[in-house]
Amino acid sequence: MNETIQNKLAILPDEPGCYLMKDRQGTIIYVGKAKVLKNRVRSYFNSSHDGKTQRLVSEIEDFEYIVTSSDLEALILELNLIKLHDPKYNVMLKDDKTYPYIKITNEKYPRILTTRKVKKDKAKYFGPYPNAFAANETRKLLDRLYPLRKCIRLPDRVCLYYHMGQCLAPCVKEIDQKVYDEMIEEISKFLNGGFEDVKNDIEKKMLEAAEKLEFERAKEYRDQIAHIETVMQKQKMVTGDLSNRDVFGYAVEKGWMCVQVFFVRQGKLIERDVSIFPLYRDPEEEFLTFIGRFYDIPEHIKPKEIFIPSEIDKALLEKYLEVKVIIPKRGSKKELVDLAMKNAQIAIHEKFQLIERQEERTIGACEELGDAMNIAAPLRIEAFDNSHMHGTDAVSAMVVFIDGKPAKKEYRKYKLRETARHDDYGAMQEVIRRRYTRVLKDNLPLPDLIIIDGGKGQMEVAREVIEDELGLYIPIAGLAKDEKHNTSQLLFGDPPAPIDLKRTSDGFYLLQRIQDEVHRFAITFLRQQHQTHAIQSVLDNIEGVGPKRKQQLLKHFGSVKKIKQSSIEELMAAHIPHSTATAIYNHFHKDTLSKE
């Protein structure tokens, strides 16, 4: 613990608030809340911890705190700070599922759709549904019951749906907006558990039609009732009512937490969500924060009520979520919460060994590299590779690995501007200079280790820029390859010398991944550049084809070969005017046209 932290710990207040932990780069790596800041923050530095929390504490070089007036204010602030800074230790490991929803669009003449994306577009969303089939069947049922429009764009004449009674034809008729408002209200009621009321209304209409001897219409109503029963009664009821609710349970094991959420819709258990993440404080506090973050995700639509275990601060959660929070004490509702807790325990037990192994191959690999190189564990690694096509189209690429995993949003591509052809050293100097001048200018985090895909020469020119020009000290390593172009040696030191790493070790495996990834990224960019230049040179002399249209053609067809093979109609389908499409076609078919 450094002196800065010791001094700050001594003056922490006895009040609620949020704290922000920072690493040696000043990057916020963890955000938490506390009912008593003094007790919570001091516990990180004055207590013994398991491996997960100990790793977090080992990276903390400073912290800030913000006092709030209440626990609720602390929860709201914590969730906002997590959203703002996205700290790496506030991660939630989610499964890869996306759930289908039914959507009523926010249009003058609305449509009803199925979707897996919930957007903030003022549309109405209902779900989630257990699978696409269930969502589509429900949507088809609603299409039969309510004549909302089906077409994406309004045509200039009525379609088949109008003649089938499944559309009011707003394309050619003026429809009172109240008609659509009433339909949307009925659909919303139907999807929120009121389908029995809808069915009863249709039964009344069926009987009235039969009394009037309108047997065809009565048969249509009967078919609608049968379809409602078929679609809506397929799943087993898990509660005696038709409420929409989410049921939360959690389990803790060896410094990890698993949260299971059961989605109950119209009284049926239709799907579950599983999240597993490291635990750095009391499970009850972490669980409370999780629920707050859970409903920040657009796809997680808040139901009318949620069930939680008894240990959680119910009142605080109700104030934040503005939904009814229930702690079931007995009966089937208590059994549902117990089932969520049991499933969480099973899931974390099954996945724990896999999680540990993943960590060995990521953060553990970083620590192994740090030990072998006698430097701090390189949790942020930036790697560079240059590539060119016989001296032309020279490019460089940078990949970033954080905690042993690729951070693809931080990858960067570079078109080399100053370097002469075949000058690999000059290319490396240019890209290193451009990257770290920008890092200093924009106050971006510096890496713990720079890896150069090359040997001693490339390492030296990189060092000249980093140390002599920019005045930085960042460890620089080189990766040499064998005659088969596979990762052979890690070079480090002054002068550079091979670092002894077992080829079967996680550290060596991480180096292989980094070298393969930066090479792949550079080669892909090189091919894109080469293809762009190829298409530009081939199309240079065609009238009406400028730089923008060249890019347009490449994006649509993907290659010069496909452009050459395209007809005039196919070229026009790429939004090319008829005259230009004709000029392109004639350019590539000169020989054929002359023979004709």
Side-chain angles (χ1 to χ4, degrees):
M1 187 179 3
N2 62 38
E3 188 176 350
T4 299
I5 290 176
Q6 286 180 332
N7 292 335
K8 286 187 174 182
L9 289 177
I11 58 172
L12 281 165
D14 291 321
E15 299 194 48
C18 290
Y19 51 91
L20 302 88
M21 304 300 197
K22 298 182 177 182
D23 66 7
R24 60 178 174 267
Q25 304 278 3
T27 302
I28 294 169
I29 58 175
Y30 185 69
V31 170
K33 69 175 181 310
K35 292 182 178 180
V36 180
L37 279 167
K38 181 173 70 174
N39 295 346
R40 166 58 59 204
V41 177
R42 285 181 179 178
S43 71
Y44 286 96
F45 302 97
N46 298 336
S47 307
S48 59
H49 303 288
D50 58 37
K52 293 281 175 304
T53 307
Q54 189 55 48
R55 183 169 288 130
L56 164 63
V57 173
S58 70
E59 290 188 45
I60 299 171
E61 294 291 325
D62 195 4
F63 69 85
E64 294 179 11
Y65 60 89
I66 302 169
V67 174
T68 60
S69 58
S70 66
D71 293 346
L72 175 61
E73 193 177 309
L75 175 61
I76 295 170
L77 178 60
E78 178 194 30
L79 297 173
N80 287 334
L81 289 171
I82 290 172
K83 266 194 272 187
L84 177 64
H85 297 291
D86 192 22
K88 69 177 186 178
Y89 282 109
N90 288 101
V91 68
M92 287 201 305
L93 304 181
K94 304 287 291 176
D95 57 13
D96 294 329
K97 287 184 180 177
T98 57
Y99 306 106
Y101 292 81
I102 286 179
K103 172 182 180 179
I104 302 175
T105 62
N106 179 37
E107 299 172 284
K108 183 178 180 181
Y109 306 118
R111 294 171 293 145
I112 187 165
L113 313 169
T114 52
T115 181
R116 288 182 181 270
K117 291 184 178 179
V118 176
K119 301 177 181 177
K120 293 181 179 178
D121 54 4
K122 297 185 179 179
K124 291 180 179 290
Y125 292 89
F126 303 88
Y129 285 81
N131 50 56
F133 177 78
N136 286 326
E137 283 295 296
T138 306
R139 177 185 56 78
K140 289 176 187 176
L141 169 62
L142 294 169
D143 277 337
R144 292 179 62 173
L145 297 177
Y146 302 100
L148 297 181
R149 74 181 178 96
K150 311 295 187 290
C151 49
I152 297 174
R153 295 175 184 168
L154 289 178
D156 56 3
R157 66 190 72 181
V158 298
C159 64
L160 181 61
Y161 287 111
Y162 172 73
H163 296 294
M164 294 168 61
Q166 293 185 23
C167 181
L168 298 177
C171 51
V172 296
K173 295 184 175 185
E174 280 293 326
I175 311 297
D176 192 332
Q177 190 62 42
K178 289 182 180 178
V179 175
Y180 281 100
D181 292 342
E182 288 172 2
M183 280 196 289
I184 290 172
E185 188 175 336
E186 285 191 33
I187 293 170
S188 300
K189 181 180 176 183
F190 183 100
L191 292 172
N192 284 323
F195 63 87
E196 287 288 350
D197 293 338
V198 174
K199 190 177 78 167
N200 292 336
D201 289 342
I202 296 173
E203 283 178 346
K204 288 179 184 177
K205 292 178 182 177
M206 180 184 70
L207 294 173
E208 289 171 2
E211 286 177 4
K212 295 177 182 178
L213 304 182
E214 296 174 351
F215 298 116
E216 285 295 322
R217 183 174 293 277
K219 181 178 179 296
E220 288 177 11
Y221 288 136
R222 185 197 67 190
D223 291 345
Q224 287 182 358
I225 293 167
H227 205 55
I228 290 174
E229 290 174 343
T230 301
V231 172
M232 304 307 290
Q233 302 297 334
K234 282 183 178 178
Q235 293 168 301
K236 180 183 175 184
M237 300 289 288
V238 297
T239 58
D241 55 32
L242 297 176
S243 295
N244 291 345
R245 58 175 63 96
D246 291 344
V247 181
F248 288 83
Y250 71 90
V252 173
E253 185 173 327
K254 297 180 183 177
W256 289 83
M257 173 175 270
C258 174
V259 179
Q260 292 255 345
V261 188
F262 289 163
F263 299 119
V264 178
R265 297 296 180 265
Q266 298 175 23
K268 302 162 191 159
L269 174 57
I270 62 165
E271 190 52 89
R272 69 172 179 172
D273 181 274
V274 185
S275 300
I276 300 178
F277 47 92
L279 182 67
Y280 301 112
R281 51 183 167 168
D282 292 343
E284 292 75 21
E285 287 188 24
E286 200 74 68
F287 184 54
L288 191 65
T289 299
F290 172 88
I291 296 176
R293 294 181 69 190
F294 186 80
Y295 290 111
D296 281 339
I297 299 170
E299 286 77 13
H300 297 159
I301 300 171
K302 279 189 279 192
K304 288 185 177 179
E305 61 189 29
I306 67 172
F307 289 177
I308 61 171
S310 58
E311 299 90 348
I312 308 307
D313 190 335
K314 171 179 174 290
L316 177 60
L317 204 52
E318 280 187 327
K319 287 179 184 176
Y320 177 72
L321 294 179
E322 297 180 352
V323 300
K324 189 175 182 181
V325 178
I326 297 172
I327 302 174
K329 300 296 184 183
R330 63 183 69 84
S332 61
K333 295 177 180 179
K334 174 70 163 56
E335 289 173 4
L336 204 53
V337 173
D338 291 343
L339 186 62
M341 298 284 279
K342 181 178 179 181
N343 275 271
Q345 186 62 58
I346 292 169
I348 197 169
H349 186 72
E350 287 179 348
K351 293 188 177 183
F352 187 72
Q353 287 184 323
L354 177 60
I355 292 170
E356 279 195 325
R357 181 61 188 138
Q358 285 176 334
E359 191 166 89
E360 285 175 11
R361 304 195 78 168
T362 54
I363 295 177
C366 294
E367 291 173 344
E368 188 178 320
L369 284 180
D371 291 342
M373 300 169 71
N374 198 27
I375 61 173
L379 299 177
R380 182 185 180 92
I381 298 173
E382 298 186 358
F384 297 84
D385 190 18
N386 301 325
S387 193
H388 58 81
M389 190 76 72
H390 308 297
T392 64
D393 297 325
V395 300
S396 284
M398 179 196 77
V399 301
V400 179
F401 275 60
I402 298 175
D403 293 341
K405 291 176 282 191
K408 296 194 175 184
K409 289 183 180 178
E410 300 203 37
Y411 287 14
R412 294 293 181 267
K413 304 170 184 175
Y414 298 90
K415 296 178 187 177
L416 296 176
R417 302 187 288 229
E418 305 161 5
T419 308
R421 293 175 63 172
H422 301 290
D423 183 2
D424 287 341
Y425 291 169
M428 186 58 68
Q429 280 194 315
E430 179 182 334
V431 71
I432 293 290
R433 184 180 296 113
R434 286 168 60 185
R435 167 62 182 168
Y436 294 106
T437 300
R438 171 58 63 88
V439 165
L440 292 173
K441 179 182 176 184
D442 294 349
N443 198 28
L444 300 175
L446 291 165
D448 302 309
L449 176 65
I450 295 171
I451 291 181
I452 306 298
D453 190 8
K456 297 178 180 179
Q458 282 93 341
M459 289 174 64
E460 177 57 25
V461 296
R463 187 203 63 76
E464 288 174 1
V465 174
I466 292 293
E467 296 183 15
D468 299 346
E469 290 186 26
L470 301 178
L472 299 171
Y473 177 73
I474 303 170
I476 300 171
L479 284 177
K481 295 179 179 177
D482 59 22
E483 64 278 0
K484 295 181 180 179
H485 215 64
N486 294 324
T487 305
S488 172
Q489 284 183 324
L490 173 67
L491 302 175
F492 182 67
D494 187 17
I499 298 296
D500 186 26
L501 271 177
K502 288 184 180 179
R503 291 185 173 242
T504 56
S505 68
D506 290 325
F508 193 82
Y509 172 72
L510 175 59
L511 293 175
Q512 287 178 316
R513 287 182 62 211
I514 291 172
Q515 189 167 40
D516 290 346
E517 180 70 350
V518 71
H519 183 67
R520 178 200 65 78
F521 194 53
I523 288 294
T524 301
F525 183 42
L526 173 65
R527 287 172 180 160
Q528 290 170 347
Q529 289 297 109
H530 186 68
Q531 193 173 46
T532 300
H533 292 162
I535 192 171
Q536 287 175 342
S537 60
V538 170
L539 299 174
D540 273 348
N541 299 319
I542 303 176
E543 187 176 348
V545 181
K548 286 187 178 179
R549 202 149 276 161
K550 291 172 190 174
Q551 291 296 330
Q552 187 179 340
L553 287 163
L554 180 60
K555 184 176 181 180
H556 185 85
F557 292 100
S559 68
V560 177
K561 183 180 179 182
K562 288 185 179 178
I563 295 172
K564 288 180 179 179
Q565 294 171 345
S566 299
S567 65
I568 293 174
E569 290 75 16
E570 288 169 333
L571 290 164
M572 290 175 66
H575 305 291
I576 302 296
H578 182 271
S579 58
T580 308
T582 303
I584 295 170
Y585 181 85
N586 291 342
H587 177 80
F588 288 121
H589 296 81
K590 290 176 184 175
D591 295 340
T592 307
L593 293 170
S594 62
K595 287 177 183 177
E596 293 176 354

